[in-house]
Amino acid sequence: MAQEIELKLELTPEAAETLLASGALAAGPKRLELRTPYFDTPDGHLAKAGFSLRIRDAGGVRTQTVKAAGTATAGLFARPEWERTVENDRPVLDDATPLPALLGARLHDIVPIFEIRVERLVWDVPWEEALVEVVLDRGHVVAGERSAPVCEIELELKEGAPAALFSLARHLDGIVPLHVGVVNKAERGQRLLGPVIRSFKSGELALSPDMSAADAFRAIAGSCLRQYRLNEAAIDRAHPEAVHQARVALRRLRSAFSIFAPMLDDDLFAGLREETRWLANALGEARDLDVLLSGGTVEPELRGRLEQACDEAYGRALAAVSSARARALMLDLSRWLALGDWLSRPEGGVLRDEPVRGFAGAALDRFRRRVKKGGRGLENLTDEARHELRKDAKKLRYAAEFFASLFADKRGKRRGRRFIEALSALQDKLGALNDIAMSQRVLGEGETAAPDFDSDKADLLEDAAEAHDAFRDARPFWR
């Protein structure tokens, strides 16, 4: 078993041509034509278990590789892999890999499921006292009658410190736009086997009770960046859920910053936090107009103006997420999570090393107290105060979801389900109240849609107060 460390970067085919013409990489790269079938059981048992199995044919030399999911922090992949040469496209499935133990009798069900065909260019690049293998792959992944393009760069560390990967990535991004990659080739192929996915929710996050608080933060933040990048690439005016989920991912990340803040305060943290806030706000206008247009209360003559405003807001959102500023943020966040000074500062050492279960309980207690206190007299709060309560409720909800796997015994699951249901009900009512406040700001008091707001708001305030009472009665699942 070997360990590889690589940084994945996505680019357009046009950008790849520009990079090749720039002279930034040495002339005369090694050139390979690769054909790589991937294998699994018909029901995808390997993929579900976090493994991939492939045979790469490079000019008649076939190499079988088994990869296991390892740490993947926004593009930086470090994972175990098992390699061997094979004679043909038939996998050799012996005890030199973990697959027989994983599959048992199902080992005989392994079949080809998709194939990747790319032209690969390879350079060995000395960079900042390190040696980095730069790989440019261009081609397609094919599953039956479906296919998808592949155009990506992989920076693999051969010698030296991992920081060189990020430094070289920033250098190359100054030549052509590069986006941190969070999807490997096996995942690209897996997507072709199912329906088209237009947006991506956060997915399950499994933390281990023996993790340190620092390791848990990296796992949580990495999952947030992955969710953001998946949705950023899918943002489309015709499918509004992607911009919503991209914004949710950034909010989850900002909540993780708040939860773990005492251990994170190095020289870069404040700047990264502010830049993440900027990017989330850049998506806000498009999302708010989507919500307003989906409400069904807007008169036809006003709807036309709002549709145009929404088109323009999407244009600004797309410009923001594809900007050099956003690309730099993703690279900087990825580097900071993997290698940042916060991991070694003496001031945060005790918190970093604390078992995550104890850390989680204290954090959940803190945020729960804030929501309980902030919701007192909810019906008489100002719109601004209710908005702050809504934000605190979201932070608590995200914290509960982050840490749920740490309290997954029978009682913890039952209490956790009831707690999150009560908190979600409160969030829904506060969200509806916030939508009314936002609609009043956007439409103005004189527009046709406004007269119904007051009666709707009165009913929602009563419902929100009842939801807050139910939340206060829900028992903490972490005790």
Side-chain angles (χ1 to χ4, degrees):
M1 184 180 72
Q3 190 84 357
E4 65 171 346
I5 300 177
E6 64 183 33
L7 178 64
K8 288 186 179 291
L9 303 163
E10 297 175 1
L11 69 167
T12 66
E14 296 77 15
E17 291 293 343
T18 301
L19 181 61
L20 291 174
S22 71
L25 299 169
K30 182 179 179 182
R31 188 181 301 267
L32 298 167
E33 295 291 334
L34 303 180
R35 183 185 63 84
T36 310
Y38 278 72
F39 302 82
D40 204 337
T41 62
D43 59 353
H45 192 81
L46 280 182
K48 292 173 185 174
F51 284 83
S52 66
L53 168 63
R54 75 186 188 203
I55 294 177
R56 174 169 291 156
D57 181 354
V61 177
R62 290 178 172 86
T63 304
Q64 174 182 295
T65 304
V66 176
K67 289 191 178 185
T71 59
T73 303
L76 185 68
F77 290 78
R79 59 198 176 199
E81 62 176 40
W82 295 259
E83 281 194 352
R84 66 181 298 165
T85 57
V86 292
E87 295 182 357
N88 50 41
D89 285 351
R90 183 177 302 165
V92 177
L93 303 173
D94 57 22
D95 289 330
T97 76
L99 297 190
L102 176 69
L103 293 175
R106 304 181 70 180
L107 199 65
H108 302 292
D109 297 334
I110 290 287
V111 293
I113 52 171
F114 58 84
E115 185 170 290
I116 295 171
R117 305 166 190 164
V118 298
E119 178 194 58
R120 167 165 290 185
L121 303 180
V122 184
W123 299 262
D124 285 330
V125 178
W127 189 260
E128 294 183 354
E129 300 182 354
L131 181 64
V132 179
E133 181 182 78
V134 179
V135 175
L136 172 61
D137 282 343
R138 294 178 292 176
H140 289 81
V141 54
V142 180
E145 306 237 337
R146 300 176 67 184
S147 68
V150 173
C151 190
E152 64 183 26
I153 288 175
E154 294 179 1
L155 306 181
E156 184 171 349
L157 187 67
K158 295 300 186 181
E159 299 174 11
L165 298 179
F166 293 96
S167 173
L168 180 55
R170 287 295 296 269
H171 172 71
L172 297 177
D173 181 67
I175 301 168
V176 295
L178 300 176
H179 294 268
V180 169
V182 294
V183 179
N184 60 35
K185 293 184 181 70
E187 289 179 276
R188 293 181 190 278
Q190 289 291 340
R191 286 189 190 174
L192 293 179
L193 302 176
V196 175
I197 302 174
R198 302 291 187 185
S199 62
F200 300 83
K201 294 189 176 181
S202 58
E204 294 184 10
L205 179 65
L207 301 181
S208 171
D210 60 2
M211 274 183 169
S212 68
D215 287 340
F217 170 70
R218 291 207 290 182
I220 290 166
S223 76
C224 296
L225 289 187
R226 174 179 165 84
Q227 183 192 6
Y228 168 76
R229 278 289 296 124
L230 290 173
N231 285 288
E232 178 214 285
I235 291 175
D236 184 342
R237 173 75 171 86
H239 304 285
E241 186 63 15
V243 78
H244 172 52
Q245 290 299 329
R247 199 171 176 217
V248 166
L250 294 172
R251 284 177 169 173
R252 291 176 69 236
L253 179 59
R254 293 180 65 210
S255 293
F257 287 162
S258 296
I259 294 164
F260 290 89
M263 75 173 71
L264 305 177
D265 193 17
D266 62 12
D267 291 342
L268 296 179
F269 178 51
L272 292 171
R273 200 172 188 176
E274 185 58 31
E275 286 295 275
T276 304
R277 180 176 180 271
W278 159 76
L279 189 54
N281 287 342
L283 303 175
E285 184 184 9
R287 173 58 183 166
D288 288 345
L289 287 166
D290 277 334
V291 170
L292 183 57
L293 285 165
S294 67
T297 60
V298 181
E299 293 296 321
E301 62 273 16
L302 179 58
R303 177 171 291 275
R305 299 205 306 272
L306 290 177
E307 291 281 2
Q308 181 179 349
C310 194
D311 286 342
E312 294 169 355
Y314 264 84
R316 289 188 288 273
L318 286 167
V321 300
S322 61
S323 67
R325 182 178 179 181
R327 299 195 311 273
L329 172 61
M330 290 298 108
L331 277 171
D332 289 346
L333 280 168
S334 301
R335 185 191 187 286
W336 179 76
L337 285 176
L339 309 169
D341 289 345
W342 68 274
L343 287 163
S344 57
R345 289 174 66 253
E347 298 88 340
V350 173
L351 281 177
R352 286 196 308 272
D353 296 337
E354 181 180 350
V356 67
R357 208 170 188 272
F359 181 94
L364 288 163
D365 277 336
R366 185 170 72 252
F367 282 97
R368 179 172 177 262
R369 285 194 299 269
R370 191 179 298 176
V371 175
K372 287 177 66 176
K373 181 179 179 180
R376 291 173 186 167
L378 188 150
E379 293 168 284
N380 299 316
L381 295 177
T382 64
D383 288 342
E384 291 75 16
R386 278 191 297 271
H387 182 57
E388 290 302 312
L389 173 62
R390 177 172 172 259
K391 290 195 293 185
D392 286 339
K394 280 188 176 182
K395 289 177 183 178
L396 177 58
R397 167 72 179 276
Y398 293 145
E401 291 174 347
F402 291 155
F403 297 131
S405 60
L406 299 172
F407 307 94
D409 58 2
K410 186 175 181 180
R411 187 185 71 167
K413 286 183 177 179
R414 182 178 66 253
R415 286 188 179 180
R417 183 173 61 253
R418 293 173 180 171
F419 183 86
I420 290 177
E421 285 174 355
L423 185 55
S424 297
L426 174 60
Q427 276 188 267
D428 288 344
K429 301 305 179 186
L430 292 172
L433 286 166
N434 187 67
D435 289 344
I436 287 178
M438 182 270 295
S439 297
Q440 288 176 318
R441 290 194 303 271
V442 172
L443 296 177
E445 296 296 335
E447 295 287 0
T448 310
D452 293 330
F453 286 153
D454 289 341
S455 60
D456 291 345
K457 187 173 183 177
D459 292 340
L460 279 171
L461 283 170
E462 184 176 346
D463 292 344
E466 292 177 1
H468 188 262
D469 289 341
F471 160 75
R472 294 182 64 185
D473 292 338
R475 300 185 69 178
F477 63 88
W478 55 92
R479 294 181 190 164

